[in-house]
Amino acid sequence: MSKKDTYRVVARGSDGSLQIRDYPSIDPLLDSHEQIGIDDCSTDLALRGMPVFRGLIGPMPEGKNVVRYETPEVFEMLTKEWGITKPKKRRRRARSVADSEVEVAAS
C-alpha cells in the first residue's frame, strides 16, 4: 500500500477552465472545508480513513501518491465527458471464401 502524500483539489474557474491546486498535507483542506466523515469503503486501501468534506467529491485515487477531491461541478462535467466518449469499434475479420468452403465441406 503506497503512501498518499499529495492532496489535489480540482475546481472550475470563472472562465470555465479547470483549476488544480496541490497541497503537501491535508491540513489546508481541514482548515478550509468541513469534514463530514471518513472514507471507509474505497477499493484503494490507502484512501480508507481519509476525510470526506462537505462540498467536495472524494477522496479519489490519482496515480500512486495523489488523493484527489473535486467540486460537484467538475465531477459532473468530467463524468458526462467520460460517459459520452464512444469506445473504438472493432472490425470483424471478414470471412474468407476458403473458410466458407471448409464449413460447407464439413456439413
Side-chain angles (χ1 to χ4, degrees):
M1 180 165 53
S2 63
K3 181 178 180 330
K4 308 285 187 184
D5 60 7
T6 302
Y7 299 87
R8 178 168 291 158
V9 177
V10 183
R12 192 175 217 158
S14 58
D15 62 352
S17 65
L18 291 180
Q19 295 183 335
I20 300 171
R21 195 159 214 192
D22 289 346
Y23 301 95
S25 74
I26 195 71
D27 295 333
L29 290 175
L30 289 169
D31 293 339
S32 62
H33 291 84
E34 178 185 357
Q35 182 177 344
I36 57 173
I38 60 167
D39 186 301
D40 63 352
C41 62
S42 179
T43 56
D44 184 336
L45 298 179
L47 294 181
R48 290 196 184 175
M50 292 277 178
V52 174
F53 296 106
R54 182 177 312 281
L56 293 177
I57 309 293
M60 301 174 236
E62 185 176 338
K64 290 189 178 225
N65 65 341
V66 177
V67 179
R68 180 179 174 114
Y69 292 90
E70 297 174 349
T71 61
E73 299 82 23
V74 169
F75 180 79
E76 183 178 345
M77 176 189 69
L78 293 177
T79 302
K80 283 181 180 176
E81 285 178 7
W82 173 79
I84 61 174
T85 56
K86 296 181 180 175
K88 292 181 181 177
K89 292 186 178 183
R90 296 183 190 173
R91 294 188 67 190
R92 286 186 167 175
R93 189 181 122 217
R95 295 178 62 179
S96 68
V97 173
D99 289 341
S100 300
E101 291 173 357
V102 170
E103 284 183 12
V104 171
S107 326

